[in-house]
Amino acid sequence: MEDGIHQTFGEHEERGERVEGDTVDSDGQGHGPIKLRYRLDVAGDRITLDTSESDDQVPGPVNFLMSPSVPAAVFAAYLLGENSEHLLNAGAEQAFDAVKLREGSVLQPRFPAPLGMRGLTLMRFLAALNGLINVAGAKAPAAQSAYVITLIRGTYRNEEGVLAPFLLSDGIGVGYGARPYADGIDAVYFVAQENYPVEFLEIGYPVRLRTYAIVEDSGGAGEYRGGCGIVREYDVLAEDAVVAIRIDSVKNPPWGIAGGMSGGTGRIIVNPGSNHERTLQPLSDGNMLQRGDVLRIETGGGGGYGHPFDRPPQSVLDDVLGGFVTAHAAQELYGVAIDEDTVDDTLTRKLRAKRPEVKAFHRHKYVDSLA
């Protein structure tokens, strides 16, 4: 394991430093953005990961009490790749010579510190490490969205007509970042890749699902497309309900890499398209609903990898026909003109002749660094 990481990140360099980071939008208590900053130091055969420049801990529950073994294990998993013959063991913790954590930071908070939504910061932490791998000269996936959690609780009338309490906890999948060799994975829930079926929801809770589908254009454009997020739209059948929601990467969407574009962002809307439409805060609680309301939750996608104009036109057409990309985005982002169910080769060649320039990362726009 040590030989592998030193070969990957500059075994014989006298001195080398790589810096990268990512951002948590908010702690849900009015504090943010919250920056994660990582520095990879290579001195001879010694490799150190320094996280001490990350922002201070916050009052909201996004603090992450991280063991030094966590980033080492993530790097070890990257080095082992997807070979099913390789298993992580105790040696994974030796992937770095040292990991520096600063007490009082969002990654090493002092007691007392709320940690209940640390999973959100964990997902941004993973994206930041992938960014660091890329700036160090290796190839890792683009950034992913953080899986969405929603809690709906309240009262409903049971079969006897009596008011009874309920609690619906729903984990909803998101899109993952494109890889250097393949598209990102669509609609993935981080824990055990769970999919909570419509029938289970409707039998067990006072809701009816109107829509359960892919969010078009939520995957970042690229030679390899980022994974797409999910839309769930509920009819509220309860007498009253309160919604808590956890969505991140709204202000700072998952970045694309090597010319790939950033992924789409999530959102939560009550009564979409009506005169009573309202958008809820993406990290919030205490949102009141009543019987007859419609609750729409859209989750974010992953960043793209590689220049979008390098994606084969047939792959773009397949995405349009499959409901992952709109024809408008195909033309504007990929330079591929779709005429009904075929590619307009002549117009596509003209569009792709005007190839946009790119930089290392994309988040809203192309930038050289996210640190």
Side-chain angles (χ1 to χ4, degrees), residues 47-58:
I47 296 179
T48 300
L49 178 69
D50 187 347
T51 74
S52 60
E53 295 181 17
S54 296
D55 284 352
D56 292 343
Q57 67 188 74
V58 290

Side-chain angles (χ1 to χ4, degrees), residues 269-344:
I269 307 169
V270 179
N271 298 320
S274 75
N275 293 331
H276 305 289
E277 178 178 312
R278 56 192 171 101
T279 300
L280 305 184
Q281 289 298 310
L283 188 60
S284 62
D285 198 353
N287 302 293
M288 303 301 298
L289 299 177
Q290 59 186 4
R291 186 178 181 87
D293 282 341
V294 175
L295 180 68
R296 182 180 177 89
I297 300 174
E298 298 177 7
T299 71
Y305 196 106
H307 200 297
F309 279 28
D310 291 332
R311 188 166 179 81
Q314 183 60 47
S315 297
V316 178
L317 176 62
D318 290 344
D319 280 343
V320 171
L321 297 178
F324 296 90
V325 175
T326 61
H328 175 76
Q331 181 162 324
E332 293 296 316
L333 303 181
Y334 291 93
V336 176
I338 307 297
D339 183 8
E340 294 183 354
D341 59 352
T342 60
V343 174
D344 184 329

Side-chain angles (χ1 to χ4, degrees), residues 337 343-352:
V343 174
D344 184 329
D345 293 325
T346 301
L347 182 53
T348 295
R349 283 192 295 271
K350 290 181 180 179
L351 291 169
R352 289 194 161 185

Side-chain angles (χ1 to χ4, degrees), residues 182-362:
D183 291 348
I185 304 172
D186 303 299
V188 179
Y189 183 65
F190 185 72
V191 181
Q193 320 311 326
E194 293 174 345
N195 164 43
Y196 206 68
V198 171
E199 292 81 3
F200 284 10
L201 277 174
E202 294 185 343
I203 289 173
Y205 302 98
V207 296
R208 180 186 300 112
L209 242 63
R210 289 185 166 202
T211 305
Y212 184 24
I214 289 291
V215 179
E216 289 184 314
D217 295 336
S218 56
E223 178 181 5
Y224 298 108
R225 173 179 57 76
C228 288
I230 293 173
V231 56
R232 276 194 189 270
E233 195 170 77
Y234 310 77
D235 278 329
V236 178
L237 306 180
E239 296 302 313
D240 59 80
V242 181
V243 177
I245 187 73
R246 191 196 82 180
I247 299 176
D248 188 55
S249 304
V250 175
K251 296 179 180 178
N252 299 279
W255 44 263
I257 185 72
M261 303 183 76
S262 53
T265 60
R267 60 177 183 162
I268 178 169
I269 307 169
V270 179
N271 298 320
S274 75
N275 293 331
H276 305 289
E277 178 178 312
R278 56 192 171 101
T279 300
L280 305 184
Q281 289 298 310
L283 188 60
S284 62
D285 198 353
N287 302 293
M288 303 301 298
L289 299 177
Q290 59 186 4
R291 186 178 181 87
D293 282 341
V294 175
L295 180 68
R296 182 180 177 89
I297 300 174
E298 298 177 7
T299 71
Y305 196 106
H307 200 297
F309 279 28
D310 291 332
R311 188 166 179 81
Q314 183 60 47
S315 297
V316 178
L317 176 62
D318 290 344
D319 280 343
V320 171
L321 297 178
F324 296 90
V325 175
T326 61
H328 175 76
Q331 181 162 324
E332 293 296 316
L333 303 181
Y334 291 93
V336 176
I338 307 297
D339 183 8
E340 294 183 354
D341 59 352
T342 60
V343 174
D344 184 329
D345 293 325
T346 301
L347 182 53
T348 295
R349 283 192 295 271
K350 290 181 180 179
L351 291 169
R352 289 194 161 185
K354 300 177 181 179
R355 184 183 178 93
E357 294 185 0
V358 300
K359 295 183 178 180
F361 293 94
H362 183 275

Side-chain angles (χ1 to χ4, degrees), residues 10 40 50 57 102 106 114 159-160 164 166 172 178 237 246 261:
L40 188 70
D50 187 347
Q57 67 188 74
R102 176 176 63 85
V106 68
E159 294 179 355
E160 289 75 34
F166 76 96
I172 311 177
L237 306 180
R246 191 196 82 180
M261 303 183 76

Side-chain angles (χ1 to χ4, degrees), residues 127-138:
L129 283 180
N130 280 340
L132 188 58
I133 291 172
N134 278 290
V135 299

